[in-house]
Amino acid sequence: ETGVTQTPRHLVMGMTNKKSLKCEQHLGHNAMYWYKQSAKKPLELMFVYSLEERVENNSVPSRFSPECPNSSHLFLHLHTLQPEDSALYLCASSQTRGAGELFFGEGSRLTVL
Amino acid sequence: QKEVEQDPGPLSVPEGAIVSLNCTYSNSAFQYFMWYRQYSRKGPELLMYTYSSGNKEDGRFTAQVDKSSKYISLFIRDSQPSDSATYLCAMSAWSGYSTLTFGKGTMLLVSP
């Protein structure tokens, strides 16, 4: 148990569906991250939130929409995804954006049909 | 040339073997180096963290950085079946974790 909880753990969706991934951290951290992990590819940073403000968006397509309502919760809203978006989506948190260990959740495995 | 190169494996060794995992990189500005361990169906967890060149030891694990060769290594002594996992190297030019560049990961299998 890392203190970062992701739901759902598995998600299958069609290309026209809308779904959301949820992340909650119980560590009192101020920064939260979404990463994408695809087979045979390095971890890719998607979004960074620091104190609920989005501070980084690494050229992620607009079909991925993050939301950070408070420092403990992070969402990734998904709509009109493509099959190549199938991957493991990892949420992480750290004490601050600039320092401290990254704590990852167990990930949400997404399959787009 | 990719920024960080890491052989994906799998690397299969018998229990008790010394394991060497490696990454090469091209960006000479990298000075913070990390190794993450990722068990199947789990998220990565930080295993070792080193700054600049040199060695760092923690129990059976030793991290080594050679900035002149742009080469980092993780050694595991007396490997155990519980060490079977994917090992990701990661590095950054500064201490901000949002700028980490990851390798693809090496899958390690330690057989009893």
Side-chain angles (χ1 to χ4, degrees):
Chain A
E1 180 61 55
T2 64
V4 179
T5 304
Q6 290 187 244
T7 53
R9 294 292 313 279
H10 300 273
L11 179 63
V12 179
M13 59 188 289
M15 292 169 61
T16 57
N17 291 158
K18 288 185 181 181
K19 297 283 185 185
S20 296
L21 306 180
K22 178 183 175 182
C23 176
E24 183 175 359
Q25 59 97 357
H26 311 274
L27 301 168
H29 290 166
N30 290 323
M32 297 188 76
Y33 310 75
W34 280 116
Y35 280 88
K36 178 182 179 182
Q37 188 173 37
S38 305
K40 297 185 170 39
K41 285 187 168 182
L43 273 172
E44 300 171 56
L45 178 65
M46 300 176 72
F47 301 103
V48 182
Y49 276 82
S50 179
L51 295 170
E52 297 138 48
E53 270 192 57
R54 189 191 313 179
V55 293
E56 275 193 52
N57 173 351
N58 280 350
S59 303
V60 178
S62 59
R63 57 186 185 267
F64 294 92
S65 174
E67 178 190 0
C68 188
N70 55 61
S71 58
S72 299
H73 293 86
L74 185 64
F75 294 88
L76 188 63
H77 303 300
L78 316 168
H79 60 98
T80 59
L81 294 190
Q82 306 297 310
E84 60 264 28
D85 297 322
S86 299
L88 182 69
Y89 289 86
L90 290 161
C91 174
S93 71
S94 66
Q95 198 158 20
T96 64
R97 180 186 166 216
E101 179 181 342
L102 267 181
F103 288 82
F104 284 91
E106 296 190 333
S108 293
R109 172 70 61 187
L110 172 67
T111 302
V112 181
L113 301 176
Chain B
Q1 183 185 10
K2 294 187 175 63
E3 267 202 303
V4 178
E5 299 271 11
Q6 186 176 12
D7 186 333
L11 175 62
S12 296
V13 301
E15 183 175 356
I18 296 174
V19 174
S20 172
L21 303 167
N22 312 295
C23 287
T24 58
Y25 62 94
S26 57
N27 187 345
S28 58
F30 288 149
Q31 52 183 342
Y32 296 88
F33 303 93
M34 286 142 240
W35 286 95
Y36 282 81
R37 178 175 61 195
Q38 186 174 17
Y39 290 114
S40 179
R41 287 185 279 279
K42 298 285 188 181
E45 56 178 341
L46 183 64
L47 193 59
M48 297 286 281
Y49 177 103
T50 52
Y51 168 70
S52 193
S53 284
N55 291 2
K56 184 174 182 179
E57 191 172 316
D58 184 0
R60 297 185 294 110
F61 298 89
T62 299
Q64 197 170 74
V65 175
D66 181 349
K67 288 186 69 181
S68 61
S69 302
K70 297 192 182 72
Y71 189 88
I72 69 171
S73 300
L74 177 71
F75 297 96
I76 307 174
R77 290 183 299 281
D78 187 25
S79 56
Q80 303 295 309
S82 57
D83 294 326
S84 297
T86 296
Y87 290 80
L88 309 168
C89 64
M91 46 200 79
S92 175
W94 65 291
S95 63
Y97 276 76
S98 62
T99 61
L100 278 179
T101 300
F102 283 85
K104 293 180 183 181
T106 299
M107 181 183 290
L108 171 66
L109 302 170
V110 182
S111 53

